[in-house]
Amino acid sequence: RIKASGLKLQLCTNETQATREKFVKKLQGMGFDISVAEVTAPAPAACRLLKERGLRPHLLVHDDLVPEFAELDKTNPNCVVLGDAAENFTYANLNEAFRLLIGMEKPVLISLGRGRYYKETDGLKLDVGAYMKALEYACDVQAEVVGKPAKTFFESALAELGLPPEQVIMIGDDIVNDVGGAQRCGMRALQVRTGKYRPCDENHPHVKPDAYVNNLAEAIDILLQQL
Amino acid sequence: RIKASGLKLQLCTNETQATREKFVKKLQGMGFDISVAEVTAPAPAACRLLKERGLRPHLLVHDDLVPEFAELDKTNPNCVVLGDAAENFTYANLNEAFRLLIGMEKPVLISLGRGRYYKETDGLKLDVGAYMKALEYACDVQAEVVGKPAKTFFESALAELGLPPEQVIMIGDDIVNDVGGAQRCGMRALQVRTGKYRPCDENHPHVKPDAYVNNLAEAIDILLQQL
């Protein structure tokens, strides 16, 4: 319905357990008409950043994300890229990433998101942000976060759309990462009352959405009515 | 030499990879005349704290440390005790500790030290402090640290000695955990120029030892000369 109306569309996700190709296939399987170019995700954003700065990453990420970094030189690493590595968050792998960082003259830690935890069918799991904090503390370094709510991440989505922020509306379920991040870039933002949404979000001390909608379909209804 | 002189002696260690019994056996094997009662260590201090507050711990610690907590009820845990768990720092164990904490109405995290890393024969390892930070961030909680440099830890060592702080001298190699911690309790503190000591410690922004000594033997020489 968005595409049929002539509006432009870009999906912004912090998904780092799979390549965009896999992510898009999953959405297509659910009936969404989406292409890889319409997805802004942390790994491709990190790749651009690494290329620009001539960085050679050591990856501590999910196996399924590794192909996103195929083009980059990973020999003799001069930075560590941390994603939601899930089962790859072993004691040995964390020590290895730590040793590389602490051995650098100026440690560079790039984190694909700063989430605290998420829910899977078998329960809550620590997210990348927790492991980022562990390495930040051990190495006395501040990670550079790629992904929502980083301003640069939303800016790259805007660049893909070719639109200024005041012409774009973010729709999301996460009060801080979706709504707050987009608003700080000058976009308006709707919060859906589904998914991660919690009633207490409506009393958030710092972030106030431009409007609430009960679900994604309702958000689209409202947007299209106003065209 | 200290004991022969009539001075009292207490060892303060942040060792959490073994019971005091094992630790003392190791020192005895090196020729030190030491008993378990002369060792102040985080695990027994944590046990006292848990008993006082009626806490039932879930342990994420080294296997060899578990016997220190034998007397405590560990069913239906209402707090998490974190030590340097080494190989027990698995993804599954960290998620389990996290889930218990996030499920508590008021999460209680007790950390046996806040070290960033340490060196073993096969290289640097992340210490308990890094994992403490990960859980603190994920659960939005502040850990209670037992062990050096916590004031309560030095106070319990003073209680064992039965002496006021101004009659006690701390000798250690760690500028913050040994020297700084002891001084904040009103003790004087010597830093030895061995072990963890680094020349840059002598320019530490906050902590200044009462004196430097080249090694432990020299510290004892100086103390005994002044009796």
Side-chain angles (χ1 to χ4, degrees):
Chain A
R1 291 173 64 204
I2 292 174
K3 288 184 168 183
S5 77
L7 290 176
K8 288 186 180 177
L9 174 70
Q10 190 74 13
L11 294 195
C12 290
T13 177
N14 268 6
E15 170 66 52
T16 63
Q17 285 208 1
T19 58
R20 280 187 298 176
E21 281 71 16
K22 272 205 175 183
F23 177 73
V24 162
K25 279 220 179 84
K26 195 171 151 187
L27 286 178
Q28 287 170 343
M30 292 170 178
F32 288 94
D33 170 21
I34 288 291
S35 68
V36 169
E38 288 168 320
V39 176
T40 300
C47 280
R48 278 195 299 278
L49 183 152
L50 294 165
K51 278 180 202 162
E52 278 165 24
R53 286 163 52 185
L55 291 169
R56 299 178 305 276
H58 168 81
L59 302 176
L60 179 46
V61 301
H62 197 284
D63 286 342
D64 289 348
L65 196 70
V66 173
E68 292 272 22
F69 298 89
E71 281 180 29
L72 289 158
D73 178 10
K74 288 179 279 297
T75 57
N76 188 20
N78 55 8
C79 75
V80 167
V81 172
L82 190 68
D84 173 22
E87 302 293 338
N88 283 344
F89 279 135
T90 64
Y91 182 59
N93 285 348
L94 282 163
N95 280 331
E96 187 188 8
F98 159 67
R99 269 177 225 141
L100 281 164
L101 279 171
I102 201 84
M104 293 172 193
E105 200 179 330
K106 203 184 163 324
V108 176
L109 173 61
I110 293 166
S111 187
L112 307 179
R114 54 183 307 126
R116 292 159 62 206
Y117 58 91
Y118 57 90
K119 197 172 184 169
E120 287 205 332
T121 45
D122 57 339
L124 295 174
K125 304 278 174 83
L126 288 169
D127 199 358
V128 60
Y131 293 96
M132 175 188 89
K133 288 288 172 183
L135 291 173
E136 282 188 340
Y137 177 71
C139 303
D140 197 16
V141 67
Q142 179 110 39
E144 300 173 44
V145 178
V146 178
K148 298 182 284 188
K151 207 173 173 194
T152 50
F153 188 70
F154 284 104
E155 285 169 349
S156 78
L158 289 172
E160 290 289 333
L161 290 166
L163 291 169
E166 57 275 14
Q167 292 183 27
V168 180
I169 284 188
M170 174 76 187
I171 307 170
D173 62 355
D174 187 315
I175 183 74
V176 170
N177 288 311
D178 295 336
V179 175
Q183 287 179 333
R184 268 193 296 138
C185 280
M187 289 180 242
R188 281 165 292 172
L190 305 181
Q191 189 177 14
V192 289
R193 290 196 178 103
T194 57
K196 258 188 205 172
Y197 165 84
R198 291 290 169 272
C200 64
D201 290 348
E202 306 205 11
N203 305 315
H204 193 281
H206 307 303
V207 184
K208 196 174 166 47
D210 292 274
Y212 297 96
V213 286
N214 287 318
N215 52 54
L216 191 52
E218 192 182 292
I220 309 307
D221 287 343
I222 293 169
L223 288 180
L224 298 189
Q225 277 163 21
Q226 308 203 355
L227 283 186
Chain B
R1 291 174 63 203
I2 292 174
K3 288 186 170 181
S5 77
L7 291 176
K8 287 185 181 180
L9 175 70
Q10 190 74 11
L11 295 196
C12 290
T13 178
N14 269 7
E15 170 67 50
T16 63
Q17 284 208 0
T19 58
R20 279 187 300 176
E21 283 70 16
K22 272 203 174 184
F23 176 73
V24 162
K25 278 219 178 86
K26 195 169 149 188
L27 286 178
Q28 287 170 343
M30 292 171 178
F32 287 94
D33 170 21
I34 287 293
S35 67
V36 169
E38 289 168 320
V39 176
T40 300
C47 280
R48 278 195 300 277
L49 182 154
L50 294 166
K51 279 180 202 162
E52 278 166 22
R53 287 164 52 186
L55 291 170
R56 299 178 304 278
H58 169 80
L59 302 176
L60 179 46
V61 302
H62 197 283
D63 287 341
D64 289 348
L65 196 70
V66 173
E68 291 273 21
F69 299 89
E71 281 179 31
L72 289 158
D73 179 10
K74 287 178 283 294
T75 57
N76 189 18
N78 56 7
C79 76
V80 167
V81 172
L82 190 69
D84 174 23
E87 301 293 337
N88 283 345
F89 279 134
T90 63
Y91 181 59
N93 286 347
L94 283 163
N95 280 330
E96 187 188 7
F98 159 68
R99 271 177 223 141
L100 281 164
L101 281 171
I102 202 85
M104 293 173 194
E105 201 179 332
K106 203 184 164 323
V108 176
L109 174 61
I110 292 165
S111 187
L112 306 179
R114 54 184 306 125
R116 291 160 61 206
Y117 59 89
Y118 57 89
K119 196 172 184 171
E120 286 205 332
T121 43
D122 57 341
L124 295 175
K125 304 276 173 83
L126 287 169
D127 199 358
V128 60
Y131 294 95
M132 175 189 87
K133 288 288 172 185
L135 291 173
E136 282 188 338
Y137 176 71
C139 303
D140 197 17
V141 67
Q142 179 108 38
E144 301 173 42
V145 178
V146 177
K148 298 181 285 186
K151 206 174 175 193
T152 50
F153 188 71
F154 284 104
E155 285 168 350
S156 79
L158 290 171
E160 290 288 335
L161 289 167
L163 290 170
E166 57 274 16
Q167 293 183 26
V168 180
I169 285 188
M170 174 76 188
I171 308 169
D173 63 354
D174 187 314
I175 183 74
V176 170
N177 289 313
D178 296 335
V179 175
Q183 286 179 333
R184 267 192 298 137
C185 280
M187 289 180 243
R188 282 165 290 171
L190 304 182
Q191 189 177 14
V192 290
R193 290 195 178 103
T194 56
K196 260 187 203 173
Y197 165 84
R198 292 289 169 271
C200 64
D201 290 348
E202 306 205 10
N203 304 315
H204 193 280
H206 308 304
V207 184
K208 194 170 167 50
D210 293 274
Y212 296 96
V213 287
N214 288 319
N215 52 56
L216 192 51
E218 191 182 294
I220 310 308
D221 288 342
I222 293 169
L223 288 179
L224 298 188
Q225 277 163 24
Q226 308 203 354
L227 284 187

